[in-house]
Amino acid sequence: MTLGETHTTLRALAHPLRLRILNMLTTTPMSAAEVAREVGHSQPNISYHLRKLLDASMVEMVEEVPIRGGMAKRYRSTTLDHATPTPPTADTEIWVDPALWRDTVTRARELTHRLHNAAQAPHTPGTVPVRTSNMLDMDCR
């Protein structure tokens, strides 16, 4: 990756709304209007942010579908290999069964406690540095 490409990528990721859009597009292609409805922003605003992600090659247009006499472009993230059914390694915004979500939150809390209980001083022999982020949104609509 060239310095210019790195700069474009970092600028694309610098906006929190773009990160959320990118996360939403990891599981299913969506149009600007569909994303706008989900995040509560205007369609023109979402289109602007999608163009920034497209310019940074972080999303791709995967289909055009007819809608009310026009064509809607649907985009998806290019940050994952969609041909391989592996879960995303980055944050994501998806829809799941509420019972599965409650179980996942419980397991995540258990793993977080396990890691915190095992934490040692930096550079302790036999340890490795680990970064983790556990910001599970407990709100299940």
Side-chain angles (χ1 to χ4, degrees):
M1 183 178 283
T2 69
L3 185 57
E5 291 168 330
T6 301
H7 180 72
T8 301
T9 299
L10 290 174
R11 286 190 53 90
L13 292 174
H15 197 287
L17 182 55
R18 287 188 209 131
L19 286 174
R20 186 167 182 204
I21 293 168
L22 189 60
N23 291 333
M24 291 178 71
L25 298 177
T26 60
T27 56
T28 187
M30 297 176 78
S31 69
E34 291 166 325
V35 172
R37 281 191 294 276
E38 288 299 318
V39 300
H41 284 260
S42 70
Q43 187 269 332
N45 185 37
I46 298 301
S47 291
Y48 168 80
H49 289 293
L50 278 170
R51 278 192 306 278
K52 294 294 184 183
L53 291 169
L54 189 63
D55 291 345
S57 300
M58 300 186 84
V59 298
E60 63 185 346
M61 202 243 325
V62 293
E63 65 181 337
E64 289 187 83
V65 293
I67 184 165
R68 285 172 285 190
M71 296 297 281
K73 296 177 181 178
R74 287 210 173 118
Y75 300 88
R76 75 170 173 199
S77 167
T78 59
T79 59
L80 296 174
D81 178 3
H82 295 279
T84 307
T86 56
T89 57
D91 293 335
T92 189
E93 186 168 323
I94 57 176
W95 289 68
V96 296
D97 178 83
L100 173 69
W101 180 242
R102 285 188 294 274
D103 180 60
T104 301
V105 169
T106 299
R107 289 172 185 240
R109 285 179 178 157
E110 291 168 358
L111 290 170
T112 299
H113 288 296
R114 183 177 179 191
L115 283 171
H116 280 274
N117 290 337
Q120 298 183 35
H123 305 285
T124 299
T127 65
V128 294
V130 175
R131 276 187 298 260
T132 183
S133 174
N134 187 356
M135 300 187 312
L136 296 173
D137 184 355
M138 306 303 175
D139 180 29
C140 182
R141 299 178 208 179

